[in-house]
Amino acid sequence: MKTIKKQIMLRMACVAFVLLSSITYAQNTESKLESTTVREGFIIEFVVGGGVISVEDCEGIQTFDKSQGSFIFPDLKLGYMLNDKLAITAAMPGAIYEFQDNDRHFGSFIPSVQYWVKDRWWIHGGIGLAIDAPALYDIKDDVNDDWNFGCAVMASTGYEIYKKKNFALNLQSNLVLGRAKLDGDAHRDAVTFNIGLGFSWL
C-alpha cells in the first residue's frame, strides 16, 4: 500500500521532470541562429549535483515513509554517436543513502539511448542492472559488506546551457526506479530523483 509521503514524492518528481522538459522544449527561434554542435564519435560525461532517495525494505526495516537527501557520487556516462542526434550509452547513476547507521550506495549500470530533440535539449533512458552496495568509504566486515543486484529503469532529460566545440555544459534531471534482491528471497526498492550539472565531451 502506497503511503502519502511516497505518493507526494513521486508526484513532485514527475512534475519537476515534466516542467524541465516543457521549459527546454519551449525554446524560441533565436536558438536557430546559434551554431550547432557537431556530435560524432565517443561521449564522456560526468555529473555533479544532488537530489532525494527513498528506500524500502520488504522486511519492514526501512520504508518509503522516510526520504533522504543525497548527493551524486558522481554519475558517469559513456557512449557513441550513431548520428548527430542519436547515441547509444552506458549510464551509471546512483545515490548515497543511510541504512541502519551505515552509508550505502544504490546505483545502476544501464544500457541506454540518448536523443537530441532540439539542438540543445536531449532525452535519455534505458533499463539495466541495479546495484545496492556499501559506500566505498563505509565498508565494515560482517556489518556493511553485502552487495545486492537486481533491475533498474532510468529516464532523464537535459538542456545544454553552454557549448563550445566538442564540450557542452548541461543542466539535467534524472529519475531511477530500482529493485535489488537480498538474501532469503527478500528485496529492497529505491526511487531516486537527482538534479545535476553535466560536463560532456562529444
Side-chain angles (χ1 to χ4, degrees), residues 55-63 97 99-100 104-107 129-134 143-151 178-190:
V55 177
E56 181 167 277
D57 196 293
C58 71
E59 296 178 344
I61 299 172
Q62 188 154 326
T63 71
Y97 70 97
F99 182 76
Q100 294 184 323
R104 295 185 61 80
H105 178 259
F106 200 102
L129 179 69
I131 306 168
D132 175 53
V143 176
N144 190 37
D145 60 354
D146 57 313
W147 290 64
N148 310 300
F149 301 93
C151 183
R179 169 172 286 187
K181 295 181 180 178
L182 310 177
D183 293 336
D185 294 326
H187 63 267
R188 181 172 295 148
D189 296 329

Side-chain angles (χ1 to χ4, degrees), residues 23-143:
I23 290 170
T24 56
Y25 186 78
Q27 300 301 312
N28 57 35
T29 55
E30 291 179 5
S31 63
K32 295 180 180 179
L33 301 176
E34 300 172 357
S35 60
T36 302
T37 302
V38 177
R39 303 183 189 94
E40 58 184 7
F42 290 97
I43 300 173
I44 299 173
E45 178 181 272
F46 71 89
V47 184
V48 293
V52 294
I53 180 171
S54 188
V55 177
E56 181 167 277
D57 196 293
C58 71
E59 296 178 344
I61 299 172
Q62 188 154 326
T63 71
F64 279 132
D65 288 336
K66 182 181 179 183
S67 296
Q68 305 175 32
S70 65
F71 60 92
I72 298 175
F73 198 49
D75 286 356
L76 299 174
K77 183 196 300 178
L78 303 173
Y80 186 80
M81 297 298 305
L82 298 178
N83 56 50
D84 64 347
K85 287 185 174 290
L86 181 66
I88 53 172
T89 62
M92 290 161 271
I96 299 292
Y97 70 97
E98 184 181 339
F99 182 76
Q100 294 184 323
D101 298 322
N102 295 303
D103 285 348
R104 295 185 61 80
H105 178 259
F106 200 102
S108 49
F109 177 81
I110 300 183
S112 47
V113 293
Q114 183 167 332
Y115 180 75
W116 276 259
V117 180
K118 296 283 188 179
D119 182 46
R120 290 177 178 259
W121 173 41
W122 51 260
I123 55 177
H124 183 217
I127 183 169
L129 179 69
I131 306 168
D132 175 53
L136 296 179
Y137 58 83
D138 195 21
I139 298 177
K140 302 171 185 175
D141 292 338
D142 300 323
V143 176

